[in-house]
Amino acid sequence: MSRIALRTGVGLFWTLVVVIVAARAAYFHPHFAEQFGRVAALMDRLRAVLGA
């Protein structure tokens, strides 16, 4: 019984991994990734203004 539960759990885990990765690939927007660079630049400017 525990082997069946283990195999079921492992299979469910890898199924979820594949689904999540496929969804991220399908809905990936390059413009969203660019926003992180803008936020980092804004934080650098804010640190320069505050002298931190």
Side-chain angles (χ1 to χ4, degrees):
M1 185 67 176
S2 79
R3 287 184 110 184
I4 295 170
L6 179 65
R7 286 186 182 189
T8 303
V10 169
L12 181 62
F13 171 78
W14 285 111
T15 301
L16 286 172
V17 168
V18 170
V19 167
I20 290 168
V21 170
R24 287 184 57 93
Y27 293 105
F28 178 72
H29 295 288
H31 299 296
F32 179 73
E34 292 174 1
Q35 298 298 324
F36 292 111
R38 291 183 186 172
V39 170
L42 178 63
M43 293 304 291
D44 287 340
R45 288 185 202 143
L46 185 60
R47 286 185 194 138
V49 168
L50 295 176

